[in-house]
Amino acid sequence: MSPILTISGLHKSFGKVEVLKGIDLTMQQGDVVSLIGSSGSGKTTLLRCVNLLEDFEQGSIELAGQSIGYKQDGGQRRRLSEREIARQRAMTGMAFQQFNLFPHMTAIRNVMLGLIKTKKMPKDEARAIAEKWLERVGMGQRRDHYPGQLSGGQQQRVAIARAIAMNPQIMLFDEVTSALDPELVAEVLAVVRDLANEGMTMLLVTHEMRFARDVSSKVVFMHQGRIHEEGTPEQIFGAPKTERLQGFLANSEF
Amino acid sequence: MNYDFNFDVIWRNWDLLAEGLGLGLFLAIVSIAIGCGIGLLAAFGMLSRHRTLRWIAVAYVSAIRNTPILVLILFCYFALPQLGIALDKISSFVFTLSIYAGAYLAEVFRSGLVALPKGLREAGLAIGLTEFKIKTNIIIPVMFRNVLPSLSNNFISLFKDTSLAAAIAVPELTFYARKINVESFRVIETWMVASMIYVVACYVIAALLRRLELRLAVPR
Ligand SMILES: Nc1ncnc2c1ncn2[C@@H]1O[C@H](COP(=O)(O)OP(=O)(O)O)[C@@H](O)[C@H]1O
Ligand SMILES: [Mg+2]
């Protein structure tokens, strides 16, 4: 089977500072890959490159057979047009640490917006899909609430529904529980876990090591812009090879 | 002091004052509506990546804000026709007041825009929206709701500024008050009543806008 996501030789700099120094990563459909590593190691930047929220100078990302963000044009590397990039962005779903719901729209309108404006769906169809997904994340009862009227955990579940409703090829989760009060973490992780069990392809950044161990098909440990060690959850958590990873795990909470 | 108050002439001309008040409100509403459009363009201009756009927007805003409004009114009414742009009194005044409101609202909108969290735009990008759709569906509506209180204050100032239209004989409240004053010599009564009307009108407008703000505010 051909991979759904192939990242090869990805380099990314902010000004003179190289933040990603050659990332190679392959994912099959249904894979759940967790990115772990200390703060500043480049996990967020990697996700943002996949979702084209950042441009990158070198390397390539291929999603479902398409080159993401750039094309080769007569030996020249060219950034795609804004319209093309917008279309490709909709192929990946992103859940952010800070939820980033649209505060002036109810939960259901948040989910419907992309369906109507990007996918050009009729309102009724968009509403039906939005209702289905809000139901699935346990927010069906709150569909007419505004983000400001919801708890952090509820907002994050709506944000996940908003991303998934677009029917992306892959879901990206960037520390979706780290802005939450401890008692709200579980409800969000439960939603992510359900999606993983149903075969959603996901690339997720997390500090919840126990969760990463439970849901992942592969765990990737990043350090200073490189993949330092990768393997199955058993390998990474049970028998970490490098000293760096051993040190990181010793300082992590489980 | 021995002054015989006599409000008869005011009561007899009540319809004129009401008509003047109505026109003043109309001028303020039309001007703030056009001013919002201009202000929005200027605000995006000030925040643009393009130097020329930034320069034009900043030049417009500072030029207008540093000119007394009466001078602007007289300039547009008396000088523009010399340059071949002749407008009737009311159009000329609406033009002036819109340009004037636009410069102040540009500043209001600009600070509203920079105060928005960056994540809003990125969340829009992530669901495949283009920059333009993000602006029209997310950025502008959210910013607009956030700046409603300043917008209300600007509207009330603008309404009071419509009194300056009397300078070019636009028949609004101040114009009629002056007319009644000149014809009747009831100086104290006329200006007392005119002031009262402005005070009450502003008070009522503020109360109405307050309710509108509550209705439109982002719920929490
Ligand atoms: N917009 C940016 N401009 C400049 N430097 C940035 C920017 N975003 C991230 N960085 C830097 O890139 C490095 C990796 O950041 P990030 O990907 O957020 O790491 P992580 O998510 O693993 O904590 C950090 O050193 C960070 O300071
Ligand atoms: Mg991060």
Side-chain angles (χ1 to χ4, degrees):
Chain A
M1 210 169 74
S2 60
I4 187 98
L5 179 74
T6 310
I7 301 175
S8 336
L10 181 67
H11 287 256
K12 162 74 190 166
S13 303
F14 289 109
K16 288 206 176 69
V17 186
E18 193 170 38
V19 176
L20 297 178
K21 302 170 183 163
I23 301 285
D24 296 289
L25 183 68
T26 304
M27 286 176 70
Q28 301 290 337
Q29 186 131 29
D31 275 356
V32 176
V33 174
S34 292
L35 296 173
I36 61 173
S38 48
S39 170
S41 57
K43 307 177 299 292
T44 296
T45 306
L46 178 56
L47 287 197
R48 289 169 61 87
C49 285
V50 175
N51 205 12
L52 295 170
L53 291 174
E54 303 288 353
D55 43 19
F56 48 93
E57 296 84 39
Q58 243 188 79
S60 69
I61 302 177
E62 206 170 277
L63 178 65
Q66 290 184 32
S67 172
I68 290 290
Y70 299 87
K71 64 177 172 200
Q72 288 302 125
D73 190 2
Q76 285 259 349
R77 184 171 180 268
R78 285 255 181 82
R79 183 118 169 124
L80 297 174
S81 69
E82 203 216 334
R83 191 163 293 277
E84 271 296 292
I85 285 183
R87 192 185 59 74
Q88 290 187 335
R89 276 202 191 101
M91 294 168 59
T92 63
M94 178 100 163
F96 302 88
Q97 196 171 339
Q98 300 294 340
F99 336 131
N100 296 339
L101 288 179
F102 310 131
H104 63 309
M105 294 179 176
T106 58
I108 191 157
R109 299 281 309 158
N110 263 273
V111 182
M112 287 166 67
L113 187 69
L115 298 173
I116 294 172
K117 298 291 172 187
T118 304
K119 297 211 156 186
K120 315 276 188 229
M121 249 180 222
K123 267 217 170 92
D124 295 345
E125 196 182 337
R127 179 174 297 277
I129 292 177
E131 273 171 10
K132 183 187 90 181
W133 281 109
L134 285 175
E135 211 63 62
R136 289 281 295 281
V137 300
M139 291 298 295
Q141 301 289 315
R142 301 272 157 91
R143 71 176 74 139
D144 295 321
H145 285 56
Y146 286 86
Q149 303 166 325
L150 299 172
S151 73
Q154 293 171 331
Q155 290 188 55
Q156 189 59 288
R157 284 187 280 152
V158 173
I160 292 171
R162 174 176 68 182
I164 297 235
M166 298 295 289
N167 193 22
Q169 304 279 339
I170 182 173
M171 268 298 299
L172 311 170
F173 294 89
D174 189 8
E175 292 189 34
V176 286
T177 56
S178 48
L180 297 176
D181 294 334
E183 70 273 17
L184 302 176
V185 169
E187 66 186 55
V188 172
L189 290 185
V191 165
V192 180
R193 188 189 304 262
D194 280 349
L195 293 168
N197 290 339
E198 282 158 27
M200 183 84 217
T201 311
M202 333 203 283
L203 179 55
L204 53 100
V205 175
T206 185
H207 285 311
E208 305 279 338
M209 293 303 151
R210 189 194 303 268
F211 180 74
R213 188 172 58 191
D214 291 351
V215 301
S216 311
S217 46
K218 178 155 92 178
V219 179
V220 171
F221 172 60
M222 285 186 62
H223 181 68
Q224 294 185 350
R226 287 197 177 86
I227 293 181
H228 198 73
E229 191 169 338
E230 62 185 303
T232 63
E234 293 74 27
Q235 292 166 338
I236 293 293
F237 296 110
K241 287 199 274 278
T242 60
E243 227 170 90
R244 191 80 68 192
L245 175 57
Q246 288 160 6
F248 173 76
L249 292 174
N251 286 316
S252 299
E253 278 181 53
F254 275 80
Chain B
M1 198 185 86
N2 212 338
Y3 186 87
D4 280 327
F5 281 98
N6 183 343
F7 287 94
D8 283 352
V9 63
I10 309 285
W11 305 144
R12 262 186 281 118
N13 289 300
W14 193 241
D15 53 336
L16 289 184
L17 294 175
E19 198 183 302
L21 173 66
L23 181 61
L25 280 172
F26 171 78
L27 295 172
I29 291 171
V30 175
S31 303
I32 198 146
I34 302 174
C36 276
I38 300 174
L40 212 49
L41 288 179
F44 280 118
M46 285 194 283
L47 298 171
S48 166
R49 272 175 297 142
H50 302 284
R51 243 196 12 210
T52 324
L53 280 183
R54 267 201 323 265
W55 193 87
I56 294 172
V58 169
Y60 156 68
V61 170
S62 37
I64 299 297
R65 283 170 49 122
N66 291 312
T67 311
I69 178 162
L70 185 56
V71 173
L72 287 175
I73 293 165
L74 298 175
F75 178 85
C76 288
Y77 189 60
F78 293 110
L80 284 189
Q82 307 290 323
L83 303 168
I85 309 168
L87 294 170
D88 64 75
K89 281 188 292 227
I90 291 191
S91 308
S92 170
F93 184 73
V94 166
F95 176 80
T96 312
L97 205 57
S98 302
I99 298 269
Y100 178 76
Y104 281 84
L105 294 177
E107 200 45 60
V108 170
F109 293 153
R110 192 195 60 81
S111 31
L113 289 173
V114 296
L116 291 179
K118 236 179 60 192
L120 276 187
R121 175 176 160 268
E122 295 190 341
L125 290 174
I127 55 171
L129 299 182
T130 56
E131 295 282 358
F132 181 78
K133 284 182 182 165
I134 290 171
K135 285 198 174 71
T136 53
N137 289 283
I138 302 166
I139 300 298
I140 294 173
V142 174
M143 177 278 287
F144 199 78
R145 283 166 170 81
N146 291 347
V147 302
L148 273 178
S150 328
L151 222 52
S152 298
N153 291 339
N154 270 274
F155 180 74
I156 290 176
S157 303
L158 223 50
F159 168 63
K160 287 186 292 179
D161 291 339
T162 60
S163 66
L164 291 164
I168 55 171
V170 171
E172 48 60 70
L173 179 55
T174 302
F175 173 86
Y176 280 127
R178 194 167 57 181
K179 185 162 145 42
I180 294 167
N181 175 35
V182 169
E183 287 167 8
S184 68
F185 299 106
R186 307 305 316 184
V187 184
I188 298 182
E189 290 87 338
T190 311
W191 293 114
M192 215 162 82
V193 170
S195 311
M196 288 301 296
I197 296 176
Y198 277 113
V199 169
V200 172
C202 287
Y203 186 83
V204 172
I205 295 169
L208 290 175
L209 288 176
R210 185 88 199 96
R211 289 179 60 175
L212 190 70
E213 277 166 35
L214 292 175
R215 283 230 351 239
L216 291 179
V218 169
R220 35 192 87 256

